[in-house]
């Protein structure tokens, strides 16, 4: 493989979901890995081969929180988590269920626009807060 084709390898996508319900967004506190344990994020995970970003988010929210949700739209920006792994955020609406921290999280909180700075966000998730705040004020 030459250098040019090495640089065109598509990164694996990780989707984070700003799950919005009743004018608030769901924040999830990480329980693992140790490097981010105790910090807050928008739940989500890696897209599997053949999945769209929206499908991946909906599956991850079901697995991590036990809820049915619909992915709505991708938020601006993309972040390199590590080489070959790119994080993208989507908004989602809650369709059914009461979120519970089933995997990788030990606490959940619904945050209104004035509460977004009340938790210690992981850096990438903090970067998307202005977009989420605009949606909560709309």
């Amino acid at each position: 493989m030459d250098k040019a084709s090495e640089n065109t390898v598509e990164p694996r996508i990780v989707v984070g979901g700003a799950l919005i319900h009743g004018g608030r967004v769901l924040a999830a506190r990480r329980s693992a890995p140790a490097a981010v344990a105790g910090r807050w994020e928008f739940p989500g995970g890696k897209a599997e081969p053949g999945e769209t970003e929206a499908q991946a988010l909906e599956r991850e929210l079901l697995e991590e929180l036990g809820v049915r949700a619909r992915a709505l739209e991708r938020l601006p920006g993309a972040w390199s988590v590590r080489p070959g792994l790119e994080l993208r955020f989507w908004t989602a609406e809650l369709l059914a269920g009461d979120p519970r921290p089933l995997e990788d999280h030990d606490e959940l909180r619904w945050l209104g626009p004035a509460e977004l700075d009340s938790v210690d966000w992981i850096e990438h998730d903090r970067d998307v807060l202005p977009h989420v705040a605009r949606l909560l004020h709309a």
Side-chain angles (χ1 to χ4, degrees):
M1 184 185 298
D2 65 16
K3 280 286 188 202
S5 55
E6 283 180 22
N7 293 335
T8 61
V9 173
E10 288 294 313
R12 183 152 184 208
I13 302 300
V14 178
V15 289
L19 184 62
I20 296 172
H21 183 70
R24 298 180 300 161
V25 68
L26 189 71
R29 188 172 68 185
R30 293 290 308 203
S31 56
V36 292
R39 300 196 65 201
W40 294 78
E41 69 174 359
F42 295 112
K46 295 180 187 83
E48 297 297 335
E51 267 185 328
T52 66
E53 292 176 34
Q55 289 168 334
L57 179 60
E58 291 168 3
R59 176 186 51 77
E60 286 286 347
L61 293 175
L62 182 60
E63 290 174 3
E64 289 189 3
L65 306 174
V67 297
R68 297 243 176 240
R70 178 175 32 240
L72 297 175
E73 68 178 279
R74 185 173 158 200
L75 295 170
W79 293 262
S80 177
V81 177
R82 61 178 184 259
L85 203 58
E86 183 174 284
L87 174 63
R88 299 175 181 174
F89 290 98
W90 281 69
T91 59
E93 67 177 331
L94 182 64
L95 298 178
D98 187 22
R100 299 177 316 283
L102 302 176
E103 287 184 11
D104 301 323
H105 302 104
D106 61 4
E107 186 179 338
L108 303 175
R109 288 187 195 165
W110 287 104
L111 303 175
E115 300 166 304
L116 291 176
D117 288 328
S118 68
V119 298
D120 181 20
W121 292 96
I122 295 171
E123 284 77 15
H124 304 106
D125 295 68
R126 178 173 292 287
D127 290 344
V128 81
L129 288 179
H131 301 293
V132 173
R134 276 195 291 280
L135 292 169
L136 296 180
H137 284 294

